[in-house]
Amino acid sequence: MISNANAVRLLSLLSLALPSWGLPQAFNSTRGAYPTGASASNTTILAPAGNAGSTSPDTDFLRGINIGGWLVLEKWMSGDVFTGAGADAADEFNFDSTDGAAEALDKHWSTWFTEADVQTLKSYGLNALRIPIGFWAYDNAGTPYLKGADAYLEKAIGWARSAGMKVWVDCHGSPGSQNGFDNSGRAGDILWQQGNNLEQSVSVLTTMAQKYGSTQYADTVIGLELVNEPLSDRGNNFETTVQFAKDAYKAVRAAATNSDLMIVMHDAFRGPNSWTDTASSLGPKGAFGIDTHIYQVFSDDDKKLDQAGHISQACSKSAELSSSNAIAPTFVGEWSAATVICVYPDGTTTAGSECNVDGCQCQGDPIENWNEQMVEQAGKYVEAQLDTFEENSSGDAELFTLLQSPSVTMRVACLQLSAKLGKVEDNIARANALLEESSVSNLDLLILPELAFTGYNFLSLAAITPYLEPTATGVSFQWAKTTAARLQCIVTVGYPELASGPSLGAPSATPGSSDSVCYNSTVTVSPTGLVLAHYRKTHLYYTDESWAQESPTGWHTTSLPLPRPNDSTIATFGICMDLNPYRFTAPWNLFEFSNHVIGLHSQLLLLSMAWLTNLPSSSLIAEAGEPDMGTLEYWCSRLQPLIDHEREVVVVVANRCGEEEPDALYAGTSWIGRIGGGKIEAWGLLGRGEESVLVADTEKETPWTLTARRKEENDEVNGNELA
């Protein structure tokens, strides 16, 4: 029941992140996709991936909860029902055949979820209910299933209407079982696509649409889901599922008199982008929605991740969701705070369900017994997921003030060098020499400039082709891997990437061939050689445009395993021109990059640069040790939303210096600082022509506080250009 102590404890945790601001579409669940091994910690929230289409005239963003285990029994979650004669039943199909089933169901339906629960959920800031119900509530012919659940769905719709909440009706169990799980009503064989079961599914959905899709319900019921979690194997064929969705969509659309009713289809575990062509073929944008369920607790690969890995994986979902959401409203209909981790007393985490260290706790422990470290780690993971799911939100509320982790504490360095165009080996040797001369030690993070070892000023694809490197395997990556191992720190380096497609890890291609794709990229490597992040430049300068493509996924935000005081820090990567309005045509005050950083609650901003200046060459030589304050002022003007924001962000800018033929002069002025709360602070600045390593301990006081003029859209750029 929704008031179960375990569920409420976690829901209370999540409620810290769920105030009642109106942002685009979302949900919440008390169930997992797979019941095996699940626990009450699988309480989840459904949040859509953006604002692709309004679901109703007065609700722009749904944030709600799945009422799982109520009108469709799931034994792991509805255990109060499975007693007496029904104790051995595995699912509702078998339970409904036992003595006393009708009385037990009525008692469960009338007590397990009530109007008081709706009011409680409303007080948490939720505004929608996704309510699962089985096909048998409308057609139980030839089955042992008992009818009656639809009367309680009717009650719930009334409760939601009174509370000012919306309802998403979900046909959770389909004839023949669409997945063989108990959440379909019957565990075991998957017979949904056998016999006349698909036709019966469409018939039931038509009946549901005639009622819940009528104008009488239009003020409250905003969606009807055709089927929940159909598998694409074990008797099901994905192409058949797609055809079913098309047939069911047309039947529901014809039966519903509410033209705003959204018809939703689960992605059949194929990913939301497998459904975008179907969505486009069925009607105008917003008419067909895609539901995807994201868990990191069931697969063997998931069980190998520590919490930082789970957070990173959550952030990596952004591109998939946003690309789908650009075509059809895409909802994360179910997700969970559950991971298979243990937390040590110092707050670090490890994968697994057992640990033998005193004070270590594993997430499988009862949630009411979780210690402070486990609650904190679960909160971070929840926050990372919500950030990802709400990335394209139309709102600007601060969702996570109470869950915000402490300021970033680390020892960070940026290496500023004067790379010679095309002299890769010489540039690597110079970087090594600078590191040796600086005697850097005990670093957590080292950042190098854009195209650090190849140089920047390549004016054509032919010119840069000899220096292109395969995705995260070339000479720059190898240097980063070796240096990260030697210094025992994370290393980020810029390089010119050759890939055969937009996916990280795609095999390299031949430059100029039809399958080759080039990017201006950075790769971030751990001390053990693991690729922690890979970013491709999003806003290209005209020099880049001669050979590189824009990132297909946009800016990259992820969690880095920085060790002090936590084992995860939310970091956003950018490369030079990313700071600026897109192609200099977007409005100055749109601040695309800065607002992205704010929206994802980044704690750390990492910028690799090859930023140009119009200062004369003589100035770069004669005043090599002096920062170019005009350049710094311009950077700050592009970070103004972050400066004005109440939350502080550590900023690391690794720029290059020197000259390149025919006419490229670089501004240097690498900077490590902190911005936010109206302040611009600096732990250090390098000069405009200075080759050196800048090191800062962010736990120490900043020696400088800077002031900057607020730049307006029609101001000059103070003689500085950018790459």
Side-chain angles (χ1 to χ4, degrees), residues 395-555:
D396 58 2
E398 288 307 304
L399 295 180
F400 306 112
T401 302
L402 296 179
L403 291 177
Q404 184 63 41
S405 55
S407 298
V408 179
T409 301
M410 63 181 179
R411 183 170 167 83
V412 61
C414 53
L415 192 157
Q416 179 172 295
L417 75 161
S418 176
K420 308 305 179 187
L421 194 67
K423 303 294 184 181
V424 176
E425 291 185 2
D426 292 346
N427 295 331
I428 287 177
R430 182 58 180 149
N432 288 334
L434 289 169
L435 288 172
E436 185 174 351
E437 291 167 10
S438 67
S439 300
V440 293
S441 61
N442 299 319
L443 289 180
D444 295 313
L445 180 64
L446 171 66
I447 306 173
L448 273 70
E450 178 181 11
L451 303 183
F453 299 136
T454 60
Y456 176 78
N457 203 36
F458 295 98
L459 302 181
S460 68
L461 177 60
I464 201 171
T465 290
Y467 309 102
L468 293 172
E469 302 178 23
T471 304
T473 56
V475 64
S476 297
F477 168 77
Q478 295 302 331
W479 180 89
K481 183 177 178 180
T482 300
T483 303
R486 177 168 60 85
L487 297 178
Q488 284 297 291
C489 72
I490 296 169
V491 174
T492 297
V493 63
Y495 77 104
E497 179 192 1
L498 175 65
S500 64
S503 299
L504 176 60
S508 59
T510 303
S513 66
S514 60
D515 64 344
S516 66
V517 185
C518 300
Y519 300 103
N520 184 338
S521 302
T522 62
V523 62
T524 300
V525 186
S526 76
T528 60
L530 178 68
V531 175
L532 298 175
H534 191 274
Y535 170 63
R536 292 158 174 167
K537 191 173 182 179
T538 301
H539 288 186
L540 300 183
Y541 191 51
Y542 73 85
T543 308
D544 308 310
E545 290 177 338
S546 68
W547 62 270
Q549 293 190 18
E550 295 177 0
S551 167
T553 58
W555 296 300

Side-chain angles (χ1 to χ4, degrees), residues 138-419:
Y138 308 94
D139 180 3
N140 68 345
T143 76
Y145 288 117
L146 298 175
K147 281 190 161 188
D150 59 321
Y152 287 90
L153 174 57
E154 184 73 19
K155 290 176 182 288
I157 292 171
W159 301 335
R161 180 180 288 114
S162 297
M165 300 180 75
K166 302 299 180 183
V167 170
W168 176 326
V169 178
D170 163 33
C171 189
H172 215 67
S174 297
S177 179
Q178 72 274 17
N179 56 30
F181 302 139
D182 66 348
N183 64 43
S184 71
R186 187 177 189 182
D189 293 336
I190 300 174
L191 303 175
W192 180 52
Q193 295 183 359
Q194 307 300 315
N196 68 344
N197 286 328
L198 291 178
E199 290 80 2
Q200 186 182 3
S201 288
V202 174
S203 174
V204 167
L205 289 165
T206 301
T207 298
M208 296 173 72
Q210 288 169 344
K211 182 172 185 177
Y212 307 119
S214 69
T215 55
Q216 176 186 349
Y217 290 85
D219 62 332
T220 304
V221 176
I222 47 85
L224 175 61
E225 187 155 8
L226 303 177
V227 60
N228 175 70
E229 295 182 348
L231 294 188
S232 296
D233 56 8
R234 291 177 52 199
N236 280 352
N237 177 276
F238 180 65
E239 287 70 27
T240 302
T241 300
V242 171
Q243 186 58 52
F244 159 79
K246 293 178 179 179
D247 295 342
Y249 174 90
K250 293 173 184 176
V252 168
R253 186 61 69 201
T257 55
N258 172 17
S259 60
D260 290 326
L261 181 75
M262 181 176 289
I263 301 170
V264 183
M265 181 67 192
H266 183 265
D267 66 6
F269 299 108
R270 288 296 188 95
N273 285 293
S274 297
W275 288 89
T276 52
D277 288 346
T278 301
S280 298
S281 72
L282 288 176
K285 185 176 179 180
F288 181 88
I290 303 168
D291 176 19
T292 190
H293 298 173
I294 298 175
Y295 294 95
Q296 292 189 38
V297 73
F298 298 112
S299 75
D300 290 340
D301 287 341
D302 288 337
K303 294 174 184 178
K304 296 175 183 177
L305 298 174
D306 63 8
Q307 199 74 331
H310 286 294
I311 289 170
S312 179
Q313 188 161 285
C315 293
S316 74
K317 295 292 183 181
S318 178
E320 177 186 34
L321 295 173
S322 61
S323 60
S324 170
N325 197 54
I327 298 171
T330 301
F331 300 85
V332 180
E334 296 179 17
W335 58 277
S336 173
T339 53
V340 183
I341 63 154
C342 301
V343 181
Y344 294 114
D346 63 358
T348 59
T349 67
T350 185
S353 56
E354 295 181 355
C355 57
N356 299 316
V357 177
D358 287 344
C360 179
Q361 184 176 53
C362 298
Q363 201 179 84
D365 290 355
I367 194 169
E368 60 266 23
N369 295 335
W370 280 7
N371 60 28
E372 186 175 328
Q373 290 90 343
M374 182 61 76
V375 171
E376 181 180 8
Q377 289 298 331
K380 287 181 180 181
Y381 178 50
V382 167
E383 179 177 344
Q385 292 182 93
L386 285 173
D387 281 346
T388 299
F389 304 156
E390 299 188 2
E391 182 174 331
N392 297 317
S393 166
S394 63
D396 58 2
E398 288 307 304
L399 295 180
F400 306 112
T401 302
L402 296 179
L403 291 177
Q404 184 63 41
S405 55
S407 298
V408 179
T409 301
M410 63 181 179
R411 183 170 167 83
V412 61
C414 53
L415 192 157
Q416 179 172 295
L417 75 161
S418 176

Side-chain angles (χ1 to χ4, degrees), residues 559-579:
S559 176
L560 294 181
L562 292 171
R564 295 183 292 161
N566 307 297
D567 65 349
S568 61
T569 293
I570 300 172
T572 295
F573 294 85
I575 301 176
C576 215
M577 176 71 182
D578 284 331
L579 274 184

